[in-house]
Amino acid sequence: MLSSFRFAISATFSAEPLHSTLSFWGSQLNVHFEARFAPYNQLLQSLLDPAGEFAKNTQGVNVVLLRLEDLAQFEQSDVPRFAAIAAHVQELLAALRTAPANLLAPVIVCLCPSSSSFISQPERAEFAKSTAALIASSLEEAPGVQFLHFDEIQRRYPVENWEEVTGDRLGKIPYTDEYFCALGTALVRHAHSLFMAPYKVIALDCDNTLWQGICGEDGPGGVQIDPPRRMLQQFMLQQRDAGMLLCMASKNNEQDVLDVFDRHPEMPLQLRHFTTWRIDWDSKADNLVSIAHELGLGLDSFIFVDDNPKECAETSDSLPEVLTLALPADIEETPHFLEHVWAFDHAVVTGEDRNRNAYYAQTQKFGSEVRKATNLAEFIANLQLRVSISPITPEALPRAAQLTQRTNQFNFTTIRRSEADIQNLVRTDSHECFTIQVSDRFGDYGLVGVVIFSVDHGDLLLDTFLLSCRVLGRGVEHRVMAWLGEAALNRGAVFVDVSFEPRKKNIPARQFLETIGTGLHFPAVGLTQLKWKPSAATGDWQPAARKETTQLTGYRFMEFERIATKLSTPKQVLEAMWNGKRVGVSHHQDYAEMTEAEHKLAIIWAELLERPSVAPTDNFFDLGGHSLLAVLLLLRIKETFGVELPIDDVYAGTLTLRDLAARIETFQMGSIDSAEYERLLQEIEGLSDEEVQALLASEDPGDNAS
């Protein structure tokens, strides 16, 4: 994530309660989260206004929060209401298909749950369901737009009591604190997946991780595939389908492990699902380094999963760049744990992702054939290499953006760009963007590269050139540079100026540039003649050695394991948020003199007003309260004290915390039901005069003594 990040939010309801959740997660991720809220129920204006909050957001995400019924809130009967909602939805979809091209930040559209009253009738529920499906399908291919359905939020962050009828009536605040917490957490998590440098490889232990038992002791038929581990295997298979490479790193006799797969064809994971493995008695850290070398990937793209905390600690100490995850001690918690490790999230899954395992199989076969070849030049000449370079299309935009996020080794600048960033570069007409597709006799590797350039004063200025490492070492990079020479000449340019930013990981790109000339200023005519030569091969590069990568001073990942165990439910997040604010209240000098009601109310005020402490004599509005916070205050009082105050009780300009606490206590006394009141009255009537005097003395000894 970035050091500063903005959430620009436009909603059909009052979404300001999200602010505290966003701020909390910013503190957890060590990122300054700024929340900016557009005017209430102005979605189209937010998307289309060139001076609005969305247009001004240059580093973050733009969030559209949509509750269907709000689009026709003034219609009374269903027929015009349905027609109005349908019309507004079509307008919104039209704006979402065009507006992101003019915005600098991606858009997340979140469909939020309708009220129970709105979907209480079958025809309304069916209308809401079909409209949601329409929105989802329409946005599926919209460049720069992500869609989040409330069903997905409920699946990951279930909330039982999510509806706030009173808040909806008083201030268009339709959800409880807990649901706003779930919604805010889901938005932060989705934004994180958009900007997080992606992991590419999952390395798995075997014994007591993939199955229950030790295959070397229990035998291949003695290990068990219990429900939690079956779910773990299914989860990992889903990760593979999303583009992750699966490997095994296990201390075992290799044949014992292979026999387990042979004896258990019912397991979701089979040998064919693993790209490679290291099953021996070497350290797991050494084996992960070996796998990284084989795959040509950096160790910081690895996730290692093991049940043994000791093995995890040793691996983490040796390879801090690897994200090492220890499974929960209670194996039943494993499915929940995996579901809440944010590192496994994939905001965008492209066709190339789904085919990545096949592509790596082709690459491994290519590498094997290269090693067997006696004449490398002849081998490359007979490769039947095809390199197709085409202007970027809307369909290719997600993959192009993904490549800028993923590609490190052969990347001249390592500039990370979103779909919106690329769209804006092309839209200005000052830049051209082309995608590169590659195939050879080993197969089709798909869309594997991107070039972005502009032409200025007779020079072609190469902004971006990147290639997936799976097509290096066969002359693709030479073909692209020759094409750039031709592109320069066709546009009246004489030279190609290359932008290059040296990084620890883009050594192959630097080595390639060194083989084709000196400097970064190339005559276009000379480039058109560029051809691959054996001495210029770049396919023998390797990732950074272990002794270098372990000297990193900082890691790009956060505390995924802690979040998956300590902050994986809305209740946990709310409690952590409130605990942080209660500390300040408890240290206030007047804390000891507060009544229980005043203390509870002070905590609520501190949380809503974002104050470190509150005194009994403080005034809500003097501390920064306003009408929306007043509605939230009423809702929190109802939740905490079980009383529903009239709104005028809060809007009194001279009301102090002590006055409001007394008012709450009065309402609580008046809330005793008739049966309870009758019981208390009978108790009092049954007391003797001496018992009454003793009771009064215990309540107020000072008055009784006088």
Side-chain angles (χ1 to χ4, degrees):
M1 294 290 284
L2 307 169
S3 59
S4 182
F5 195 88
R6 175 180 290 185
F7 288 84
I9 300 172
S10 183
T12 61
F13 51 85
S14 297
E16 281 77 0
L18 286 170
H19 185 269
S20 57
T21 301
L22 298 179
S23 297
F24 169 78
W25 277 113
S27 68
Q28 298 302 302
L29 307 182
N30 295 318
V31 180
H32 173 63
F33 279 170
E34 179 187 11
R36 300 290 293 270
F37 295 90
Y40 162 74
N41 207 359
Q42 294 189 15
L43 304 187
L44 289 177
Q45 294 92 324
S46 299
L47 285 165
L48 302 175
D49 183 1
E53 290 294 346
F54 282 15
K56 291 186 290 187
N57 190 7
T58 60
Q59 191 156 282
V61 291
N62 296 318
V63 179
V64 172
L65 300 177
L66 170 65
R67 190 173 67 146
L68 288 179
E69 65 204 82
D70 297 331
L71 297 178
Q73 55 187 300
F74 301 114
E75 298 291 346
Q76 300 301 315
S77 60
D78 281 349
V79 173
R81 177 183 294 180
F82 291 171
I85 292 175
H88 285 305
V89 165
Q90 289 299 333
E91 288 180 328
L92 179 62
L93 292 175
L96 286 167
R97 282 189 285 266
T98 58
N102 300 313
L103 301 174
L104 297 176
V107 178
I108 300 176
V109 178
C110 180
L111 182 63
C112 299
S114 299
S115 66
S116 298
S117 61
F118 180 72
I119 58 173
S120 59
Q121 299 177 11
E123 58 271 21
R124 292 184 184 178
E126 182 57 35
F127 171 79
K129 182 179 180 181
S130 62
T131 305
L134 171 66
I135 295 171
S137 61
S138 299
L139 297 181
E140 203 169 46
E141 302 298 332
V145 179
Q146 296 284 306
F147 180 65
L148 183 61
H149 193 285
F150 59 83
D151 281 346
E152 176 66 12
I153 299 175
Q154 187 68 7
R155 183 182 69 81
R156 279 182 165 168
Y157 300 103
V159 176
E160 184 176 354
N161 298 314
W162 56 268
E163 190 170 19
E164 181 49 78
V165 177
T166 303
D168 199 8
R169 173 173 53 83
L170 293 177
K172 285 298 176 185
I173 303 173
Y175 307 120
T176 61
D177 281 344
E178 189 177 351
Y179 190 78
F180 271 115
C181 180
L183 176 59
T185 300
L187 290 173
V188 171
R189 182 171 176 175
H190 200 86
H192 176 269
S193 69
L194 285 172
F195 289 87
M196 176 187 72
Y199 291 91
K200 302 176 182 179
V201 182
I202 303 173
L204 296 161
D205 175 49
C206 293
D207 289 340
N208 289 318
T209 298
L210 289 178
W211 49 74
Q212 179 185 3
I214 301 174
C215 62
E217 297 178 3
D218 301 320
V223 302
Q224 301 295 317
I225 317 302
D226 54 10
R229 291 178 177 85
R230 178 173 294 277
M231 293 185 69
L232 179 146
Q233 290 196 25
Q234 291 170 341
F235 179 88
M236 294 305 169
L237 192 57
Q238 291 168 358
Q239 290 291 312
R240 184 182 185 275
D241 291 342
M244 298 289 281
L245 304 179
L246 299 185
C247 304
M248 284 185 284
S250 174
K251 288 184 178 179
N252 253 313
N253 291 321
E254 183 178 49
Q255 192 58 50
D256 290 339
V257 171
L258 300 183
D259 287 344
V260 171
F261 285 96
D262 185 55
R263 291 286 296 274
H264 292 275
E266 79 283 1
M267 289 198 307
L269 284 178
Q270 294 296 313
L271 279 178
R272 67 179 183 277
H273 297 130
F274 292 91
T275 303
T276 188
W277 55 78
R278 297 293 184 274
I279 303 171
D280 51 37
W281 298 102
D282 293 341
S283 77
K284 292 180 180 179
D286 287 341
N287 279 336
L288 291 177
V289 171
S290 174
I291 291 173
H293 277 262
E294 178 184 339
L295 299 179
L297 294 172
L299 283 164
D300 61 352
S301 65
F302 276 62
I303 300 174
F304 175 57
V305 180
D306 198 320
D307 69 290
N308 190 325
K310 180 176 180 293
E311 291 279 2
C312 289
E314 291 175 354
T315 303
S316 183
D317 287 344
S318 298
L319 302 175
E321 61 272 56
V322 173
L323 173 57
T324 301
L325 299 174
L327 294 177
D330 182 356
I331 195 63
E332 297 295 331
E333 297 176 2
T334 295
H336 179 87
F337 172 78
L338 294 174
E339 183 64 40
H340 289 86
V341 174
W342 294 14
F344 289 123
D345 292 350
H346 307 277
V348 179
V349 179
T350 65
E352 278 74 13
D353 289 328
R354 298 184 182 94
N355 292 322
R356 179 166 290 112
N357 283 273
Y359 294 149
Y360 268 88
Q362 293 165 200
T363 302
Q364 288 176 306
K365 187 176 181 182
F366 170 86
S368 175
E369 293 295 324
V370 166
R371 288 188 289 273
K372 295 177 184 177
T374 56
N375 186 311
L376 185 58
E378 183 178 330
F379 175 84
I380 295 297
N382 294 323
L383 193 56
Q384 301 172 23
L385 182 67
R386 294 174 293 278
V387 179
S388 174
I389 304 173
S390 309
I392 192 167
T393 63
E395 295 76 22
L397 189 57
R399 171 60 176 167
Q402 185 185 67
L403 279 169
T404 71
Q405 298 287 336
R406 287 177 174 268
T407 309
N408 295 306
Q409 281 86 0
F410 196 93
N411 190 334
F412 282 8
T413 58
T414 67
I415 297 173
R416 310 307 186 186
R417 288 193 167 102
S418 66
E419 295 177 38
D421 292 332
I422 297 175
Q423 279 185 311
N424 276 283
L425 280 174
V426 176
R427 191 189 77 248
T428 60
D429 292 329
S430 61
H431 288 78
E432 297 180 62
C433 179
F434 289 79
T435 57
I436 303 163
Q437 293 185 289
V438 173
S439 64
D440 60 24
R441 64 184 176 88
F442 293 96
D444 188 342
Y445 298 91
L447 200 163
V448 293
V450 176
V451 291
I452 302 174
F453 61 80
S454 60
V455 177
D456 184 48
H457 296 95
D459 287 349
L460 185 148
L461 308 178
L462 183 59
D463 170 278
T464 296
F465 177 23
L466 59 87
L467 282 174
S468 169
C469 60
R470 64 175 179 251
V471 296
L472 295 182
R474 64 199 74 193
V476 176
E477 50 270 51
H478 300 77
R479 296 261 189 109
V480 175
M481 288 299 291
W483 179 88
L484 284 168
E486 295 175 358
L489 295 175
N490 291 336
R491 290 158 178 77
V494 179
F495 290 95
V496 173
D497 286 341
V498 174
S499 295
F500 181 78
E501 293 292 334
R503 299 283 188 264
K504 288 183 177 180
K505 297 181 182 179
N506 65 353
I507 294 174
R510 176 178 58 79
Q511 291 174 337
F512 167 71
L513 286 171
E514 291 172 352
T515 65
I516 65 172
T518 58
L520 301 173
H521 189 64
F522 297 92
V525 173
L527 281 181
T528 62
Q529 306 303 312
L530 186 64
K531 296 185 183 299
W532 178 89
K533 297 178 182 178
S535 60
T538 59
D540 58 350
W541 63 273
Q542 295 290 352
R546 174 179 166 186
K547 64 180 180 181
E548 298 172 355
T549 55
T550 54
Q551 296 174 355
L552 296 174
T553 57
Y555 315 128
R556 67 185 176 88
F557 53 84
M558 52 170 178
E559 297 180 81
F560 289 114
E561 194 169 306
R562 182 179 67 87
I563 289 174
T565 54
K566 304 295 185 183
L567 296 171
S568 63
T569 70
K571 288 186 184 297
Q572 287 178 328
V573 176
L574 271 179
E575 187 64 26
M577 288 167 53
W578 292 347
N579 280 342
K581 295 176 181 178
R582 287 168 185 162
V583 173
V585 176
S586 65
H587 283 81
H588 193 277
Q589 59 184 359
D590 295 327
Y591 176 80
E593 289 80 33
M594 288 184 184
T595 67
E596 182 181 1
E598 288 171 352
H599 175 225
K600 290 181 179 179
L601 193 59
I603 291 173
I604 295 173
W605 281 32
E607 292 167 357
L608 292 178
L609 298 168
E610 298 186 350
R611 311 269 308 182
S613 62
V614 180
T617 56
D618 283 337
N619 178 281
F620 186 76
F621 293 97
D622 289 345
L623 294 180
H626 49 73
S627 58
L628 179 61
L629 288 178
V631 174
L632 292 174
L633 175 59
L634 287 173
L635 300 180
R636 292 292 300 276
I637 289 172
K638 177 183 176 183
E639 177 184 337
T640 304
F641 297 98
V643 299
E644 190 167 341
L645 294 180
I647 196 167
D648 290 343
D649 282 358
V650 176
Y651 271 105
T654 59
L655 192 71
T656 65
L657 183 140
R658 178 161 288 157
D659 295 335
L660 187 57
R663 185 69 173 146
I664 291 169
E665 289 171 334
T666 301
F667 264 77
Q668 285 179 319
M669 288 299 296
S671 65
I672 300 176
D673 60 37
S674 57
E676 178 70 8
Y677 181 80
E678 184 66 27
R679 186 186 65 79
L680 291 174
L681 186 60
Q682 289 176 0
E683 280 188 17
I684 294 171
E685 289 176 346
L687 296 174
S688 65
D689 291 343
E690 292 79 8
E691 289 173 327
V692 170
Q693 289 295 325
L695 182 62
L696 290 173
S698 66
E699 290 293 329
D700 196 344
D703 287 348
N704 192 52
S706 65

